[in-house]
């Protein structure tokens, strides 16, 4: 949003309300300010002009002495809908200004005071209806150490929080790892220090300096879909200062020994996050779990290129989630299971024990016997609500009675799941699933669930929702009829709802009771007195009608006169005059009259006060339930984590059966033996389009089967399946290390510590880098970081420049990976020379894919086999693609000429490579 321009001077030029709005817009720049005005939220000034059309709202103008002020608004009940567009689609920060009665002593000239109650940004969603159920909603802060800007190993503190679950993490990183860390964390919003404080030095700047890394975070905001906010740089924070300052923001006590594990720059980052949260939710209700110190150990590091190259979250071509790895493998039944699966996929583990345990779980559920159990578990899991987000809401004072019921129902479904698993796993040899559910400790949560169900009146709650719905509907109709200019009326009128007769007798509060009458002794007494009173009133009204012999005489409550007797005719009222309590006339019209009558006033007043006391008691009971939920908070979070694991195990088992996967063997050596491996997404795509079946391929690295070759160079014509082969093997390794089964006939994977990939040539022109520059930056990162335990795929390195230099660079990289990094490498290339002369570098396998040529008929066989692809294949592909014969003939001539002159050019390359 452009800065709001007030021309430098501000006098009271608008109306008092507009002055207030004006101040808010300036104060909360760059937020879009939504101002509550009666039944509407309004946008004003240039914000109305800019966002009105984007939100499909009519922009009108309000005349003031200072000229026309643009405005646009929508009914208050549609707030979530418009917030979803502003925050999620347009990436705006929105400040919401609500109406309050003026505080005593306030100088406001308005009927209401307006205050900003909440700033909503993509990273600070609490329980908004548009919160994505399938992914975490992290706000991340990046805080570099102030005085290490130029150093490659400068420390950077990271802290990230999900306000919808309270999860809070922190980590120490370096400029070179920052980008991959951010890809893994997948924040929705990133807090950066001002980039003006970190100017980029000249073009010669070291690629890994702090300024480069920070600018990179800013520049990647679109491709990695997060929004960026800036805040002043924070200096490192001592442990005790951190605890003193922030203890009250946490759900449980911060332990000194736990906090001392954090670097001071991490605490600075934590502090930044909490500061921002307090700015966005100023009422101080948010609470976080104590921060968890996140380390890279026992994690397979995926660099951010690999996450996009392997299309883990979205496809490269159109950025859609359809066709991504996540979407292909996900069969989870709960929302929190889905979020956990994505986290696993972005940070697979290197811990064999953990992987084996996950595989064991899948094994129980994948056999023929396991299928019934799996389906029964899934049927129950589907009924479980988002326990984590649900229970967290109560810790920030937000949960509703509906949330309580949902919590109670979920706990019962979990308990059923537990019983089911216990009953059906006792005789099994594989006890993993049984062991996992044994960790569930449901006694507290079950008692909680029973208490909730004993307390809350589910039927009345649904009646209340129906009333709310009708109220919204009629308010909306009223507003639409009135039109957009005259809409300051506050909607509090009751809806046209078929009410029981008692409704006439009640005061303002006509809502149904939401607590069951027997919840507490006190409530029971109050409710019983209430029922008696209703009976007394009913007979009073009955007697009255009998006495005056007119049926439409009613006892009522009215906003103006309180408890009144309403007569259909004035003459009828006379018959009451003889009564021992003569009624007093309050008001009359031609055909009706309202009287005050002591017997009714007395009963009415008692009814009113009992209703108030019942409401108070209801509130007390709800508070007690909330406290009970908080007592079980830890237990509920742990339960949810176990359910996530069961959910993912079912998901893996389901996938294993559907896609015909096998259990891989994980080892601590660096061997990779994949027999009949497949690319799970490409295979699914082929199946969906019914365009043939996937051809499985083997891959043996550091295996005795291929003489311990740890590098394979693969050649072959375009479209023959090189890139697919490269990716499928890396994906198999990832799947294996998240504990899933893998698409192969059999697979043994020596644990991989890091995955690197250099694939394709995608331009990054907006980052001011040429195709070849991007290629080389990525290549440099690989050569500088890959270890012997890493798995590297290089697809056509050197393609982006002249053939000779490209080939030389490809040779250089291959040589480096082989002799310095000593990683396991799959290297696809169109430089056939590279394959032909790779033996000069070392023990490198040469493999190829090809075209079958039988009696002049060609087809791709997609089969990887030892050997080097011949040149003629390229021309065949061209022929198949329909390149005219004349052009092909010319190409053939060129090829022959080149072949003759090539002999001489090759010698120096070879000499250089073997040097
Ligand atoms: N093993 C396989 N079985 C069946 N179809 C395959 C197989 N491998 C690849 N394909 C099909 O061939 C298409 C092209 O594969 P791929 O992109 O891997 O070829 P390539 O050799 O890398 O081509 P280029 O040299 O142009 O990059 C894939 O999209 C897929 O549809
Ligand atoms: Mg390719």
């Amino acid at each position: 949003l452009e800065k709001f321009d007030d021309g430098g001077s501000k006098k009271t030029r608008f109306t008092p309300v507009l002055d207030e709005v004006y101040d808010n817009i300036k104060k909360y720049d760059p937020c879009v300010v939504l101002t509550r005005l009666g039944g509407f939220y309004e946008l004003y000034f240039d914000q109305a002009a800019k966002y009105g059309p984007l939100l499909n709202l009519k922009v009108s103008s309000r005349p003031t002495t200072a000229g026309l002020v643009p405005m646009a608004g929508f009914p208050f009940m549609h707030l979530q809908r418009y917030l979803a567009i502003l925050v999620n689609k347009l990436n705006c920060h929105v400040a919401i200004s609500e109406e309050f009665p003026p505080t005593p002593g306030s100088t406001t000239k308005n009927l209401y005071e307006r205050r900003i109650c909440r700033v909503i940004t993509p990273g600070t969603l609490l329980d908004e209806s548009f919160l994505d159920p399938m992914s975490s909603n992290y706000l991340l802060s990046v805080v570099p150490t102030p005085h290490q800007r130029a150093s490659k190993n400068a420390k950077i503190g990271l802290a990230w929080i999900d306000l919808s679950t309270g999860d809070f993490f922190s980590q120490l990183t370096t400029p070179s790892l920052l980008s991959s860390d951010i890809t893994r964390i997948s924040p929705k919003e990133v807090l950066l220090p001002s980039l003006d404080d970190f100017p980029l030095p000249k073009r010669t700047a070291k690629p890994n300096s702090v300024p480069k890394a920070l600018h990179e975070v800013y520049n990647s905001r679109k491709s990695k879909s997060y929004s960026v906010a800036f805040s002043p740089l924070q200096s490192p924070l001592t442990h005790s200062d951190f605890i003193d300052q922030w203890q009250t923001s946490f759900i449980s006590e911060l332990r000194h020994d736990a906090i001392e594990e954090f670097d001071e720059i991490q605490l600075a980052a934590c502090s930044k996050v909490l500061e921002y949260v307090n700015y966005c939710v100023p009422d101080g209700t948010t609470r976080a779990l104590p921060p968890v110190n996140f380390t890279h150990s026992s994690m397979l590091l995926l660099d951010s290129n690999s996450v996009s190259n392997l299309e883990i979250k979205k496809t490269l071509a159109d950025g859609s989630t359809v066709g991504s790895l996540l979407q292909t493998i996900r069969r989870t039944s709960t929302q929190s299971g889905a979020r956990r699966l994505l986290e696993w996929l972005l940070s697979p583990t290197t811990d064999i024990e953990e992987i084996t345990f996950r595989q064991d779980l899948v094994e129980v559920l994948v056999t023929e016997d396991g299928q019934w159990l799996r389906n029964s578990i899934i049927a129950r899991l589907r009924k479980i609500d988002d326990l984590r987000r649900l229970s967290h809401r109560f810790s920030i004072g937000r949960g509703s009675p509906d949330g309580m019921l949902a919590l109670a129902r979920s706990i019962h479904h979990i308990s059923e799941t537990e019983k089911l698993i216990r009953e059906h796993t006792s005789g099994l040899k594989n006890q993993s699933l049984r062991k996992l559910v044994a960790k569930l400790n449901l006694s507290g949560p079950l008692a909680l669930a029973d208490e909730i169900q004993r307390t809350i009146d589910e039927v009345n709650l649904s009646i209340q929702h129906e009333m709310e719905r009708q109220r919204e509907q009629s308010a909306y109709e009223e507003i639409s009829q009135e039109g957009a200019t005259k809409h300051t009326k506050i909607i509090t009128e009751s809806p046209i709802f078929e009410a029981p007769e008692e409704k006439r007798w009640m005061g303002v509060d006509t809502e149904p009771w939401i607590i069951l009458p027997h919840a507490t002794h006190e409530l029971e007494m109050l409710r019983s007195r209430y029922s008696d009173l209703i009976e007394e009133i009913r007979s009073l009204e009955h007697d009255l009608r009998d006495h005056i012999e007119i049926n439409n005489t009613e006892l009522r409550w009215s906003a103006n006169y309180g408890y009144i007797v309403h007569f259909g005719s004035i003459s009828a009222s006379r018959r009451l005059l003889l009564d021992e309590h003569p009624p007093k006339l309050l008001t009359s019209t031609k055909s009706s009259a309202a009287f005050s009558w002591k017997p009714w006033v007395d009963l009415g007043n008692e009814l009113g006060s009992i209703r108030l006391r019942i409401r108070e008691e209801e509130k007390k009971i709800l508070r007690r339930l909330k406290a009970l939920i908080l007592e079980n908070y830890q237990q509920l979070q742990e339960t949810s984590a176990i359910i996530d694991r069961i959910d993912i195990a079912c998901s893996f088992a389901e996938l294993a059966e559907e896609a015909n996967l096998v259990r891989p063997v994980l080892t601590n050596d660096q061997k990779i033996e994949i027999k009949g491996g497949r690319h799970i997404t490409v295979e699914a795509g082929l199946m969906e389009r019914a365009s043939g079946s996937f051809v499985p391929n083997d891959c043996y690295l550091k295996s005795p089967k291929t003489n311990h070759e740890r590098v394979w160079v693969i050649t072959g014509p375009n479209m023959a399946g090189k890139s697919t082969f490269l990716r499928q093997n890396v994906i198999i390794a990832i799947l294996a290390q998240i504990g899933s089964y893998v698409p192969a006939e059999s697979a043994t994977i020596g644990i991989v510590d890091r995955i690197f990939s250099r694939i394709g040539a995608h331009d990054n022109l907006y980052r001011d880098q040429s195709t070849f520059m991007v290629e080389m930056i990525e290549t440099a990162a690989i050569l500088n970081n890959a270890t012997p335990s890493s798995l590297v795929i290089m697809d056509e390195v050197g393609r982006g420049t002249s053939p000779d230099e490209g080939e030389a660079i490809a040779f250089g990289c291959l040589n480096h990976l082989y002799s310095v990094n000593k990683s396991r490498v799959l290297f696809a290339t169109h430089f056939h020379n590279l394959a032909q002369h790779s033996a000069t570098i070392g023990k490198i396998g040469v493999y190829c894919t090809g075209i079958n040529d039988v009696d002049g008929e060609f087809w791709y066989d997609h089969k990887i086999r030892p050997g080097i692809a011949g040149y003629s294949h390229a021309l065949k592909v061209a022929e198949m693609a329909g390149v005219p014969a004349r052009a092909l003939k010319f190409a053939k001539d060129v090829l022959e000429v080149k072949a003759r002159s090539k002999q001489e050019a090759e010698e120096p390359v070879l000499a250089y490579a073997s040097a």
Side-chain angles (χ1 to χ4, degrees), residues 534-566:
I534 292 290
E535 275 318 305
E536 281 173 46
I537 295 170
R538 188 167 288 134
S539 62
L540 184 72
E541 192 176 63
H542 188 260
D543 292 350
L544 183 67
R545 285 177 183 163
D546 259 10
H547 187 62
I548 59 173
E549 291 164 5
I550 290 195
N551 261 340
N552 62 359
T553 297
E554 281 180 353
L555 302 180
R556 284 189 190 173
W557 179 86
S558 99
N560 288 336
Y561 300 106
Y563 299 96
I564 57 164
V565 184
H566 178 267

Side-chain angles (χ1 to χ4, degrees), residues 21 86 102 184 202 225 378 383 825 915:
V21 174
L86 283 168
R184 187 196 73 239
K202 303 284 162 319
S225 19
I378 291 175
K383 297 185 196 151
V825 184

Side-chain angles (χ1 to χ4, degrees), residues 722-723 795-796:
K722 300 181 296 298
S723 303
D795 201 353
E796 301 187 32

Side-chain angles (χ1 to χ4, degrees), residues 599-618:
W600 167 226
V601 173
D602 289 349
L603 279 185
N605 278 335
E606 192 179 352
L607 185 81
S609 92
I610 293 267
R611 281 193 70 88
L612 265 181
R613 282 172 65 193
I614 294 178
R615 279 287 176 233
E616 282 309 311
E617 182 65 15
E618 284 199 335

Side-chain angles (χ1 to χ4, degrees), residues 825-841:
V825 184
L826 296 174
F827 200 107
T829 184
H830 283 291
F831 299 128
H832 297 259
N833 253 334
L834 197 67
Q836 249 143 18
H837 301 295
S838 59
T840 55
I841 293 175

Side-chain angles (χ1 to χ4, degrees), residues 682 686 689 693-697 716-725 728 795-796 799 830 849 862:
V682 173
L686 287 177
R689 293 190 299 275
S693 54
F694 193 89
V695 179
N697 277 306
N718 298 92
M719 280 295 287
K722 300 181 296 298
S723 303
T724 308
F725 179 71
Q728 83 187 28
D795 201 353
E796 301 187 32
R799 181 163 78 166
H830 283 291
T849 60
H862 298 303

